[in-house]
Amino acid sequence: MSESNAATELDANRNAPIYLGIDLGGTSIKLALVREEKIVALEQVLTKDFLGPREVFEFALSFAKRQIETLGYQFDQLQAAGLAAPGVLAPDVDELREVANLSAWTNVSLTDVATRILEKPVVLLNDANAAALAEYKARDLDGRSLALVTLGTGIGCGLLLNGVPHCGDSGIGGELGHVVIDAADHAWLCGCGKRGHVEAYAGAGGVVRIAKEMLRDNPGSVLHQDIDDLSPYLIAQAAEQGDATAVEIVCQTARYVGHAVSILCHIADPSYVLFGGAMDFGGPESTVGLRFLDVVRQTVVKQSLVQVGEHLHIEFATLGKDAGVIGAALFAEQARETSSEAWDAASSSLLKNTTSFAEQGT
Ligand SMILES: [Zn+2]
C-alpha cells in the first residue's frame, strides 16, 4: 500500500461512525462510546446519584460530547445510541416492567425520552441480549447462533438467532433460568414461584442447598468449616484444593445446567453456548472451571440428538462486565445497518421528537 493510500485509509477510519452504549443496572450505569466495535471511552456512574432516566440521558449526552471532543472526533460521527436494560422487555414496548431498584425507570417510554435528549435514534434491548451480541461480534460467527448463559443468584440467557438478538413475542425468549428440569410435584421452588426450574437448582441459592444436602453424608469435607457461610465461591475454592465433596457439588450443578442447555439446543440450535456471570467456578484459568464446562458438555451430549453434540462449542465468555455496554452500542449499529424494525421505530421516534421540538419552538 502506498503512503497516500495508507493516509487516505487512516482518514477514512477517523471518520468511522461512533455509537453510544448505555448499560442500565440497579446499582450502576455504564456509558461507552464504541467505534469499529471497540470501546474508545468508558465511564461508570451510580444509579442512585440520578433521579431517573432524563438525568441519566442528559449526563450521557454530556459524556458523549466531552469524550468526542477529547478524542478529536466530530460530534456528527455519533450515529445512534443503544440502551441495555434489565428485566423483561417486550419488543413492541419500550418500557421496563417492574425491576428491583429501578422504580423511576418503569412506565416511561425510554426511547422517546432518550431520543428527545440525545437527538439521535435510540434502540432498546434486554441486557442479556446486549452482552450476547458483544460476545458474538468478538468472534467471527458469520450469521450463526449463540447463547450467553449468565450464572449467579439467577440464571439469565441472552440469545442471538443467526446473529440477531431474539426476545420472542412477549420478551421472554431465551429465559433459560425458568425451564423445567424436574417435573415432580415436590420439585424445588424457584424464586419466580413455580417449581422445578433450573434456577432453583443451579442458581447460587440452589448450589448452596445441594451443598448442604451432600455435606450431611460427607463429614470429612473442609466445607463444614464454612457451613453457615457457604457460597459458590467458597465451594469452587474448596474444589480447587481437591475437596471431593466440593468437586461433586460443582459437577452436580453442571449436570443441572447441562440439562437446561440440552433443552435450549433442541429449540434454538446455537453453535456456541457461553457462560458468564459471577458464578464461574474459577473460570477458564482454573481446573474446576474447566471441569464444570466439561460436565456441562458431557450432559448435553448424553441428553441430546447427536447433531447437537457434534457442532456445539461450550466456553466461558471473554468480555466480562463491559459486554453489556458494548452490546448496547453494537445493537444500535446493527439496527442502523440492517434497517431493522428496531431502527425504523427509533428513526420514527426521532422524527416525532424533532417535530415536537419544532412545535415547541425549541
Ligand atoms: Zn422460575
Side-chain angles (χ1 to χ4, degrees):
M1 186 187 293
S2 72
E3 274 184 30
S4 62
N5 276 351
T8 307
E9 189 164 295
L10 203 64
D11 285 346
N13 286 347
R14 272 215 77 68
N15 295 327
I18 296 171
Y19 297 89
L20 171 65
I22 305 170
D23 186 12
L24 173 66
T27 306
S28 64
I29 298 166
K30 273 191 183 172
L31 306 167
L33 294 179
V34 172
R35 184 174 168 276
E36 297 182 316
E37 301 185 4
K38 300 268 188 308
I39 289 181
V40 292
L42 178 69
E43 187 161 343
Q44 185 166 354
V45 292
L46 294 176
T47 311
K48 69 176 176 56
D49 289 346
F50 296 86
L51 286 174
R54 170 171 290 279
E55 290 73 19
V56 168
F57 297 136
E58 283 169 352
F59 183 81
L61 179 61
S62 70
F63 160 81
K65 284 183 172 169
R66 179 166 26 95
Q67 294 293 345
I68 284 172
E69 188 180 344
T70 303
L71 292 162
Y73 300 128
Q74 300 298 316
F75 188 70
D76 61 10
Q77 285 175 253
L78 182 65
Q79 302 293 310
L83 173 65
V88 174
L89 300 171
D92 56 343
V93 178
D94 66 349
E95 296 176 3
L96 294 194
R97 306 279 165 79
E98 199 58 44
V99 180
N101 303 327
L102 287 170
S103 57
W105 290 75
T106 55
N107 304 316
V108 178
S109 175
L110 292 175
T111 51
D112 272 3
V113 176
T115 302
R116 181 179 286 266
I117 292 167
L118 297 170
E119 295 189 42
K120 302 283 180 187
V122 179
V123 292
L124 174 69
L125 85 166
N126 172 278
D127 55 3
N129 278 346
L133 179 60
E135 295 284 352
Y136 183 89
K137 292 279 189 178
R139 294 161 177 78
D140 191 14
L141 295 187
D142 192 27
R144 286 188 278 170
S145 299
L146 173 148
L148 170 62
V149 180
T150 50
L151 301 175
T153 307
I155 295 181
C157 180
L159 186 59
L160 273 93
L161 297 181
N162 304 111
V164 180
H166 176 77
C167 59
D169 288 349
S170 51
I172 55 142
E175 279 286 340
L176 189 69
H178 304 282
V179 301
V180 172
I181 62 164
D182 183 353
D185 289 343
H186 59 273
W188 291 2
L189 194 62
C190 182
C192 71
K194 305 289 171 71
R195 288 188 182 275
H197 294 176
V198 64
E199 188 170 297
Y201 293 79
V207 175
V208 169
R209 184 171 171 179
I210 295 166
K212 288 188 171 171
E213 289 198 352
M214 283 192 189
L215 285 169
R216 277 191 223 127
D217 300 325
N218 293 281
S221 170
V222 296
L223 288 172
H224 282 283
Q225 296 166 10
D226 301 302
I227 193 74
D228 294 326
D229 301 305
L230 281 179
S231 67
Y233 178 73
L234 285 175
I235 292 163
Q237 277 193 323
E240 197 68 35
Q241 289 160 14
D243 185 271
T245 307
V247 171
E248 181 49 28
I249 295 164
V250 174
C251 290
Q252 184 57 44
T253 305
R255 285 189 280 271
Y256 288 138
V257 171
H259 190 137
V261 169
S262 171
I263 295 170
L264 174 73
C265 287
H266 285 108
I267 295 166
D269 191 20
S271 297
Y272 280 76
V273 173
L274 306 180
F275 287 97
M279 196 174 80
D280 66 355
F281 300 109
E285 308 301 325
S286 83
T287 52
V288 175
L290 296 176
R291 178 81 183 272
F292 171 80
L293 288 189
D294 204 35
V295 176
V296 171
R297 188 181 297 109
Q298 288 171 22
T299 307
V300 173
V301 168
K302 186 176 163 190
Q303 298 186 352
S304 308
L305 290 177
V306 67
Q307 292 90 337
V308 170
E310 275 176 356
H311 72 251
L312 183 64
H313 298 262
I314 295 180
E315 300 171 4
F316 282 110
T318 53
L319 295 176
K321 292 179 178 173
D322 290 340
V325 74
I326 298 171
L330 293 179
F331 185 55
E333 181 177 21
Q334 186 184 61
R336 176 175 178 261
E337 287 178 350
T338 58
S339 290
S340 66
E341 281 180 30
W343 183 256
D344 292 344
S347 300
S348 66
S349 178
L350 178 64
L351 201 63
K352 188 174 72 186
N353 281 307
T354 308
T355 308
S356 62
F357 283 140
E359 284 166 355
Q360 291 163 14
T362 52

